Amino acid sequence: MKKVDVIIPTYKPTEKLNKLLKMLKVQTYPVNRVILINTEEKYFTAFAYGNKNFSFDSNVLVKHISRMEFDHGATRNYGISLSDAEYFICMTDDAVPMDEFLVENLLEPLLAGNAVVSYARQCVGKRGALIEGFTRKFNYPEESRLKTKEDIATMGIKAFFCSNVCAAYKRSVFEQLGRFDTPMIFNEDMIFASKVLNAGYAIAYQANARVRHAHRYTNLQQLKRNFDLGVSQAKYPEIFSVVSSTSEGKALVKQTIAYLKEKGKADKIPGYIITSGYKYIGYQLGKHYRMLPRKWIMKLTMNPCYWYKE
């Protein structure tokens, strides 16, 4: 059996991390090691010692870094460098496996040699918001799919879609393609996925590998998140000038509005349009960040420490 390690950046962990670690212990495909790269030791310590239900086994390694050291690419690369497993899975500390088959299902296309990267389906919980639930189904459908370079022409930006909320990688190809780029404000997974496809390898979307994962952002947080997304795309014109995410965003808005009407929730449409406006404005500001004063950038970003590395 091939070894697999799980790499998880953590920051101000919650009970979800506890649930995540417990679910990793009961996987049908056993996890060799769990490597936590935690930002700011004080938050982890407060959580670990302030939670009587929190505990982890000897196969869990914890390394602490400062907020200034955190980087979406470099932090994950650091965690991966502490592993010698042939395969590894990147997760976030708020993604909880929905069953004991997550690792097995995620690794299946990699072990079979059909893909070198695979990513899981993200679902909201039973109490998940109606709109976020639809968005998850839009981005993470019920059908699995294998994506190759040939799909870029028909799928556009969705061909590069891959999420480190829960994604598995074949180490040898990860090293061959230069790991995650650094410094990285956001989107390290999608940018690496573009390398994978352009190098002639395949990416698998595994709909049967499921995690529960949801966010409830305010409109301002959505704007900042999409600002960082826009910046990440502006920095890689060789990727994102070929495929546009704007058309995909418009399709999501149209389908969500139709879904709300169908469900008799038309009263939610105005609020959704306003939220979508915040996202679009943030994205456009990020795409044109080079035209903005530094003080604006620092107010708009979710990741101010990134800009000190620029």
Side-chain angles (χ1 to χ4, degrees):
M1 185 174 279
K2 303 293 186 181
K3 284 199 301 185
V4 58
D5 288 341
V6 179
I7 317 300
I8 308 173
T10 63
Y11 178 60
K12 295 184 178 180
T14 68
E15 181 61 24
K16 289 181 180 180
L17 176 61
N18 201 25
K19 293 178 180 177
L20 165 55
L21 294 176
K22 287 181 177 179
M23 286 303 298
L24 290 179
K25 287 168 63 175
V26 300
Q27 294 295 302
T28 53
Y29 194 108
V31 172
N32 175 56
R33 278 207 305 172
V34 179
I35 300 171
L36 306 180
I37 307 300
N38 176 69
T39 300
E40 296 297 346
E41 184 174 1
K42 62 183 179 180
Y43 298 124
F44 191 91
T45 301
F47 170 72
Y49 289 98
N51 186 337
K52 63 181 180 181
N53 296 318
F54 181 73
S55 64
F56 52 80
D57 294 340
S58 58
N59 74 324
V60 178
L61 173 67
V62 182
K63 293 289 186 178
H64 300 288
I65 62 173
S66 70
R67 183 78 185 274
M68 282 298 297
E69 291 175 291
F70 176 81
D71 177 87
H72 280 285
T75 298
R76 289 176 170 87
N77 287 343
Y78 172 47
I80 294 159
S81 73
L82 300 174
S83 162
D84 63 357
E86 191 169 344
Y87 299 92
F88 63 87
I89 297 172
C90 287
M91 296 188 73
T92 55
D93 63 2
D94 59 349
V96 180
M98 293 184 67
D99 56 40
E100 66 271 31
F101 304 107
L102 173 72
V103 174
E104 178 182 339
N105 291 333
L106 205 55
L107 289 182
E108 186 272 328
L110 277 63
L111 294 172
N114 297 325
V116 298
V117 178
S118 66
Y119 64 101
R121 181 182 176 191
Q122 295 181 34
C123 306
V124 298
K126 293 180 181 179
R127 297 181 182 179
L130 184 69
I131 292 173
E132 184 162 12
F134 182 80
T135 301
R136 283 287 184 266
K137 289 179 180 179
F138 180 88
N139 290 322
Y140 302 94
E142 295 180 359
E143 303 80 25
S144 297
R145 175 157 190 170
L146 198 67
K147 300 184 289 188
T148 66
K149 187 175 183 179
E150 286 66 38
D151 292 309
I152 298 174
T154 55
M155 293 185 72
I157 198 167
K158 271 209 164 179
F160 299 147
F161 190 75
C162 180
S163 176
N164 271 343
V165 164
C166 186
Y169 296 81
K170 184 175 183 179
R171 173 185 285 277
S172 59
V173 175
F174 181 75
E175 300 289 353
Q176 173 199 332
L177 297 181
R179 302 185 170 193
F180 296 124
D181 285 6
T182 62
M184 184 60 62
I185 189 170
F186 193 64
N187 231 14
E188 80 293 333
D189 38 23
M190 184 177 284
I191 289 163
F192 184 81
S194 72
K195 294 182 186 181
V196 170
L197 295 190
N198 285 317
Y201 297 108
I203 296 171
Y205 164 59
Q206 291 293 93
N208 59 351
R210 300 176 303 149
V211 294
R212 185 170 288 111
H213 179 255
H215 286 298
R216 290 191 177 183
Y217 291 124
T218 65
N219 285 338
L220 183 57
Q221 287 173 324
Q222 293 282 16
L223 185 147
K224 290 186 173 187
R225 187 173 189 271
N226 278 50
F227 175 81
D228 289 351
L229 172 63
V231 170
S232 73
Q233 293 192 10
K235 286 182 171 290
Y236 287 85
E238 69 277 15
I239 300 173
F240 296 105
S241 62
V242 178
V243 292
S244 170
S245 61
T246 305
S247 58
E248 194 67 23
K250 289 178 180 177
L252 173 59
V253 170
K254 288 181 181 179
Q255 290 185 34
T256 302
I257 290 174
Y259 174 75
L260 290 172
K261 288 179 179 178
E262 178 190 330
K263 291 294 182 180
K265 299 292 184 179
D267 59 305
K268 293 184 178 295
I269 292 174
Y272 174 68
I273 291 174
I274 291 171
T275 297
S276 299
Y278 272 86
K279 290 181 179 180
Y280 183 73
I281 291 169
Y283 173 73
Q284 289 297 332
L285 287 170
K287 288 279 284 187
H288 300 91
Y289 78 94
R290 292 183 179 90
M291 300 171 63
L292 301 177
R294 180 81 170 187
K295 62 181 181 179
W296 283 32
I297 290 172
M298 298 305 283
K299 289 181 180 296
L300 288 167
T301 184
M302 260 192 167
N303 190 3
C305 294
Y306 165 84
W307 295 96
Y308 293 111
K309 303 166 190 172
E310 276 284 283

